[in-house]
């Protein structure tokens, strides 16, 4: 009787995100937590869950809580806590805080990017 050992070969791609650079936490436009950090996102081609071949490499801002992610870009970065819309709770009139000057409506590159 032949003994045929069939090893299933699993392959695919996975993305690994590694923190890099300035790790000062920034405010996340989606979940409002100060949990956005700079990171390098690299896609690997892997076989049997072992990353073998680096496929693509990009620099991103990523939220560690809600996984919001946006490519790093020159003229924009997430707001630092204290500068942005999270100014210590509610507005004096009890309602939600108005959008700050630094956050122009319509310029949220993350949302544009995610529809590509
Ligand atoms: Zn978030």
């Amino acid at each position: 009787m032949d003994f045929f050992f069939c090893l299933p070969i699993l392959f695919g791609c996975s993305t690994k995100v590694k923190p890099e650079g300035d790790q000062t936490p920034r405010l996340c436009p989606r979940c409002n937590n100060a949990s956005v950090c700079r990171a390098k996102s690299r896609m690997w081609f892997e076989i049997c869950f072992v990353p073998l071949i680096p496929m693509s490499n990009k620099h991103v801002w990523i939220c560690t809580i809600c996984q919001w992610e946006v490519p790093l870009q020159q003229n924009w970065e997430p707001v630092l806590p204290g500068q942005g819309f999270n100014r210590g709770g509610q507005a004096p009139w009890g309602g939600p805080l108005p959008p700050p000057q630094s956050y122009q409506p319509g310029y949220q590159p993350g949302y544009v990017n995610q529809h590509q």
Side-chain angles (χ1 to χ4, degrees):
M1 180 177 111
D2 289 335
F3 180 72
F4 180 66
F5 181 68
C6 179
L7 180 72
I9 297 182
L10 304 169
F11 57 91
C13 290
S14 71
T15 304
K16 310 226 180 294
V17 176
K18 200 168 79 174
E20 67 160 12
D22 175 18
Q23 290 299 298
T24 309
R26 310 298 180 101
L27 281 179
C28 172
R30 186 196 279 171
C31 70
N32 290 0
N33 288 296
S35 53
V36 175
C37 292
R38 272 180 66 169
K40 187 192 281 182
S41 171
R42 171 168 275 183
M43 187 184 283
W44 288 83
F45 181 76
E46 58 181 30
I47 295 176
C48 294
F49 305 106
V50 178
L52 291 179
I53 307 167
M55 303 279 285
S56 66
N57 196 1
K58 59 180 179 173
H59 300 271
V60 295
W61 293 101
I62 188 164
C63 173
T64 54
I65 291 181
C66 71
Q67 306 304 309
W68 175 83
E69 183 185 314
V70 66
L72 208 69
Q73 47 208 282
Q74 283 191 331
N75 300 320
W76 181 87
E77 59 179 39
V79 185
L80 283 164
Q83 286 182 359
F85 39 77
N86 190 5
R87 284 170 292 184
Q90 292 196 317
W93 54 90
L97 290 164
Q101 300 298 318
S102 57
Y103 246 49
Q104 298 123 6
Y107 186 45
Q108 296 190 353
Y111 297 122
V112 175
N113 181 266
Q114 282 172 2
H115 292 295
Q116 285 175 1

